[in-house]
Amino acid sequence: MADHLDAPTPLDEHRKLAAFAGEWSGEEMVYPSRWTAGGPATSHVVARIALNGFYLIQDSVQTRDGKESFATHGVFTYDRDDRAYKLFWHDSLGYYPPSPASGGWAGKSLILVRGSLRGNARHVYEVVDDDTYNMKIQFSPDAEGWADVLTGVYRRIH
């Protein structure tokens, strides 16, 4: 008889998030929106696997025109109950989503979508190779017609 008090162990789905762990330098394009004027930016991203391997915790700081312009704190995990990846996203705009983004892998891309009263956001993280990933954040009022808000290429800092 199994001990029901044994702690669960991370699944392969949790381990797959390690592709984004590390320190990264990003070249980004910010698209004009109701929040900001568009333009190029750079970003410094630090992400680590934490809490017994169940979570990827990611912090980023974006710089535009020599000043910090945007910062994020993301917590990624795999929810074994509903068999979906989750992203709990917090940023320097101060909005708090009513629920985490949810989604899964399509090939080499992790796609997560979240909704709020302001509309829908889609985060797409594409693994290019061990030292590079692409990311884009898109917005849609109806979760059908997506417009880019931010795109970036991130290279591992060794």
Side-chain angles (χ1 to χ4, degrees), residues 8-11 13-14 54-55 77-86 88 102-103:
T9 57
L11 303 172
E13 287 84 355
H14 294 104
F54 289 105
Y55 298 92
T77 192
Y78 178 75
D79 184 332
R80 65 180 81 226
D81 291 333
D82 71 359
R83 297 187 174 139
Y85 285 87
K86 303 293 181 177
F88 298 84
S102 186

Side-chain angles (χ1 to χ4, degrees), residues 22-26 43-46 131 154-158:
E23 187 174 5
W24 306 85
S25 176
S43 192
H44 182 249
V45 180
V46 177
D131 292 325
Y154 304 83
R155 291 179 178 83
R156 186 179 303 279
I157 298 171
H158 290 282

Side-chain angles (χ1 to χ4, degrees), residues 47-89:
R48 63 188 170 86
I49 298 296
L51 303 170
N52 292 330
F54 289 105
Y55 298 92
L56 173 76
I57 299 174
Q58 179 191 71
D59 291 296
S60 71
V61 176
Q62 180 189 83
T63 303
R64 293 178 68 192
D65 300 321
K67 296 182 286 195
E68 181 179 317
S69 53
F70 188 61
T72 68
H73 178 76
V75 179
F76 299 73
T77 192
Y78 178 75
D79 184 332
R80 65 180 81 226
D81 291 333
D82 71 359
R83 297 187 174 139
Y85 285 87
K86 303 293 181 177
L87 169 58
F88 298 84
W89 179 265

Side-chain angles (χ1 to χ4, degrees), residues 107-118:
K108 291 184 165 195
S109 295
L110 177 60
I111 303 168
L112 303 149
V113 178
R114 62 185 161 86
S116 74
L117 295 175
R118 293 177 311 285

